[in-house]
Structure formats: C-alpha cells, structure tokens
Amino acid sequence: MSSSLIAMGVAIFLVINLVVGLAGLSLLFGTFETLFGKPKLTLLRSTKSGNFFAFGFKWNSAKEPAALDTIRIRLFNPFGSPTQVEVSKPFDAKKTSFATEVDMGPGFIDLLGAKNFDLAMVQIEVVSSTDGVVFQFDMKGPKFKKLVTEAHLTVDQFVADHKLDVVKKSQPPIDVPIRSFIADTVPGKGSQLAIATNPAFAAQFGGAAAGGAAAAGGAAAPAAENFKIAKVWIEPGCIVCNACEDIYKEVFEVLADTCIIRPGAPLDDGLRIQEAAEACPVEVIKFTKAS
C-alpha cells in the first residue's frame, strides 16, 4: 500500500514538473517573440521641410507577407481641440523592411499643434491596402511629439544601419543569338544543318525528304560524308534548351541546370553531333574529329 502511494506521489511530482517546464518554455518563447519577433516602428528625422513624416519599419515579411503602402496617423484628444485628427497618405509599396519619408499634408501640422496635446493619444498604422494587413502602434501624445522632434536618425542612416539597401545581384542575361533551324548557313562556320528539311542532306534522311526535294524541281545534293568524333564536351553556359538531346539523346543528357555527355556515348556519328553543336543557341557544345 505504501509503495503504491509513493509511486503515485512520484508520478504526480513528475507531471507537475512537466507542466511547469512547458509553461516556462512557452513564456520564454513568448519573451523572445516580444523582444525580437514583433514588428518595430522607428520614427526618424525628416530631411525635407514642410509636412514630411519619416519612419522606418521592420517586420518578419516571411511570416506576415504584405505589400505595405499606406501610413495613417490618428490623434484622439478628448480634452483638447481638435478632438480628433486623422492624416493618411500612400507611398510606394514595400514587401520587406524599409524606411521612407511621406508628405502627410497640412493636416499633420494641425495634429502636432492640437491644444492639450499632452493629454492626447496617438495611433499610427502601417497598412497594406491590397492585402488588408494593418500594423498598429499606440502611444501617448508627449512621447509621439518627443520622438518626432528629437529623432536623430535619417532614412538613409536607418537603411544603412539595418542593411536594407543590400540587393542580391542577379545573373547577367544570356545573349542568345537568333538562329534558324531550317538549312541556314551558320555564321562563321560555312556549313549547313544536317536536318531533313535541308535539301543538301535530303538523301541522308530517307526517301520522303528526297522525294520532296525532287518534287520541288531540284536534284538532291550528295549526302555529306560522315566522320567519327574523338572527343565531345560541354562548356559552361548551358541554358538547358533541350535542343541537343532532341537531336541526339544517345549522346546528350539535359539535367536541371546543365547538359552532360552520357557515359559510353557513341561517337561514330559525327554529323549528328555536329548538328547538335550547330543547333546550340549558346554554342557550348564542342568536339574534335577523330584523325
């Protein structure tokens, strides 16, 4: 009996410790979320005269995707005059953390000059008009005015400090020459594509092509003499267009980001390998003839 009570007591103790531990972890993660994960609004010093309002905004755009495009400032002033002011202005949509200056218009000066501003509340909203997302920040009037008038960081400094102006360099576009795949001479090579629609190679592709050439009133040229290849390889720059594999799949294999020569590929049909090389729009297929 006593051993059963002891076992029950130990079990209850372990359960209590587990619950307390989970609660502690939840509180810890909540603290981290509060300190580091919440959206943050920073009021900045405007470098422009007039009614400009400068601010920086950071948020987890991967967790809360939105195209933010509007800043809205509301004054709630029940003990002063005017009792309520709202100014709202759009800006260029931002999909990641940013800093900007917005001309809020004359209403912004009226807001800052309201009577009994020290007893008022200010609400700032950063809004996505397209996604329906609103980030809201509330503060007392004196704090808002102090942040606006005593801000020292400019938009440029905020962007630099938070590395918001770092843009990933994109790969330069590939200049793909325009080529015809119908019996045109390849510039600089003096040869023609060995394809069925080219009368010069009609005999090589069987009677249908040859008959077509004869019907057109021209005699088919003698078939080009085939040759063997000593080596074929792919240089960097493949755009995976599949042209080579379509022509000679026993030799060429197109992968996700490049092309390779198949192991044990046959190298006795030099004309088809040459055709694939000449059909390559970026000219990365190279070969040498067997001596």
Side-chain angles (χ1 to χ4, degrees):
M1 181 68 177
S2 59
S3 60
S4 298
L5 290 175
I6 293 173
M8 184 179 296
V10 171
I12 293 173
F13 176 77
L14 292 175
V15 170
I16 292 174
N17 274 276
L18 178 61
V19 171
V20 171
L22 290 175
L25 285 174
S26 177
L27 181 62
L28 180 62
F29 284 126
T31 302
F32 274 105
E33 176 70 18
T34 300
L35 293 176
F36 305 109
K38 292 183 67 175
K40 183 177 181 181
L41 177 73
T42 303
L43 274 57
L44 305 173
R45 177 171 61 86
S46 175
T47 58
K48 301 177 182 179
S49 59
N51 310 312
F52 280 87
F53 175 67
F55 67 99
F57 186 68
K58 295 189 68 180
W59 90 104
N60 188 340
S61 55
K63 183 178 178 181
E64 298 179 277
L68 302 177
D69 57 8
T70 304
I71 181 71
R72 184 181 298 135
I73 305 175
R74 293 192 180 100
L75 173 71
F76 299 97
N77 188 23
F79 304 106
S81 176
T83 57
Q84 187 168 335
V85 178
E86 177 179 316
V87 287
S88 178
K89 291 293 179 179
F91 54 85
D92 292 339
K94 313 292 184 183
K95 294 185 178 181
T96 58
S97 299
F98 65 95
T100 188
E101 292 186 66
V102 182
D103 186 353
M104 302 301 294
F108 185 54
I109 300 301
D110 295 339
L111 184 149
L112 290 175
K115 294 181 180 179
N116 288 334
F117 193 87
D118 290 349
L119 301 176
M121 290 292 297
V122 176
Q123 183 181 88
I124 305 173
E125 292 180 346
V126 186
V127 181
S128 170
S129 61
T130 56
D131 302 309
V133 175
V134 179
F135 294 101
Q136 180 178 306
F137 303 87
D138 298 313
M139 63 185 73
K140 293 181 179 180
K143 180 180 179 180
F144 175 78
K145 183 174 287 188
K146 181 178 180 180
L147 290 175
V148 170
T149 57
E150 297 182 8
H152 62 280
L153 277 181
T154 65
V155 168
D156 290 342
Q157 290 169 336
F158 184 89
V159 167
D161 289 350
H162 295 275
K163 297 180 173 60
L164 303 183
D165 56 348
V166 177
V167 179
K168 292 183 179 180
K169 294 183 178 180
S170 59
Q171 294 292 331
I174 298 174
D175 184 15
V176 180
I178 299 175
R179 295 284 178 82
S180 168
F181 289 88
I182 306 179
D184 285 344
T185 300
V186 178
K189 295 191 177 181
S191 58
Q192 293 180 312
L193 297 181
I195 56 179
T197 53
N198 185 348
F201 296 96
Q204 179 182 332
F205 291 92
E225 183 178 353
N226 209 341
F227 55 90
K228 292 185 178 181
I229 297 294
K231 181 181 179 182
V232 58
W233 68 96
I234 308 295
E235 293 191 342
C238 174
I239 60 172
V240 293
C241 68
N242 295 310
C244 58
E245 186 173 322
D246 290 342
I247 293 171
Y248 205 172
K249 65 180 180 180
E250 291 81 7
V251 173
F252 302 98
E253 180 180 1
V254 177
L255 305 178
D257 55 359
T258 188
C259 175
I260 64 171
I261 306 301
R262 294 181 185 273
L267 301 180
D268 55 345
D269 193 345
L271 286 175
R272 289 181 69 187
I273 292 176
Q274 177 177 298
E275 178 186 352
E278 293 176 347
C280 176
V282 287
E283 300 181 338
V284 296
I285 300 175
K286 305 297 180 183
F287 65 89
T288 56
K289 295 182 180 180
S291 55

